[in-house]
Amino acid sequence: MSIEMVPTEAAGDTALLAELTDLVNRVYEVAEAGLWRDGASRTTTSELAGLITEGHVAVARDEDGRIVGSVCIRQLADGIGEFGMLACAPEQRGTGIGSVLVDFAERHCVDQGARTAQLELLVPRSWAHPVKEFLRGWYLRLGYVLERKGELEESYPHLVPLLATPCDFLIFHKPMR
C-alpha cells in the first residue's frame, strides 16, 4: 500500500473526484447512519476539488493502484494540524488502512510544523451510535484526549439543518513529538 498527498493539479480529474466522493459518502453513510436527514451526504465533488486544490487530501492505494482510503489534512492556527474525513474502503476494513492513514496524517502535520494533532468527532447527544463509540475508543487508544465538547454550529453552521438528531461535536488533541 502507498499513501501520498493528491497533487493539486488533480483537482480537475473528474474520475478521481467521482471515485473519492463515492468512497467517502459510502463510508459515512454507515459511519453516521441516523445522524443526518435523508438525502444528506458527507461530501461533494466540488468540496473535494477545493480540498485537493488546497493540497489537503491524501489517498491510500493498494498494489493495483486502486484507492482504498483517504484523509483530509490541514494546518490550523497555533501549531495545530488537523485531520478528518477519514475513509477506508468497506471491503478493506480491518486491514490497518485507517491506522496507516492516521500515522501519515500525524507525520504530515508535524512536517508542516504542528505540535498538536486535532480531530473532530460528531456524536449523537442522546443515544450511543456504535460506530461513533468504536471511533471514540480507537482515537483514545491512539493517544488522543478529549480537548473540549462543542456545538456543530461553531464551525459548520450550514450543516445543522441537515441533522436528524441533536449532536455534540467532540474535539480531540494529541501532542506530537
Side-chain angles (χ1 to χ4, degrees), residues 79-125:
I80 297 174
E82 177 183 67
F83 73 88
M85 210 184 300
L86 179 66
C88 303
E91 62 276 9
Q92 298 286 329
R93 209 163 272 138
T95 63
I97 293 169
S99 295
V100 174
L101 281 165
V102 170
D103 288 344
F104 180 89
E106 290 174 350
R107 283 193 316 275
H108 186 76
C109 288
V110 169
D111 290 348
Q112 300 297 311
R115 296 178 309 277
T116 301
Q118 174 176 296
L119 66 91
E120 302 166 336
L121 188 63
L122 186 67
V123 298
R125 190 170 294 150

Side-chain angles (χ1 to χ4, degrees), residues 38-83:
D38 289 342
S41 58
R42 174 60 183 88
T43 194
T44 63
T45 55
S46 60
E47 179 186 23
L48 280 170
L51 291 168
I52 290 170
T53 298
E54 294 167 356
H56 296 318
V57 178
V59 295
R61 295 182 184 271
D62 67 11
E63 305 78 40
D64 297 324
R66 288 185 304 253
I67 294 174
V68 293
S70 63
V71 65
C72 179
I73 311 164
R74 61 190 183 115
Q75 293 302 117
L76 305 175
D78 302 324
I80 297 174
E82 177 183 67
F83 73 88

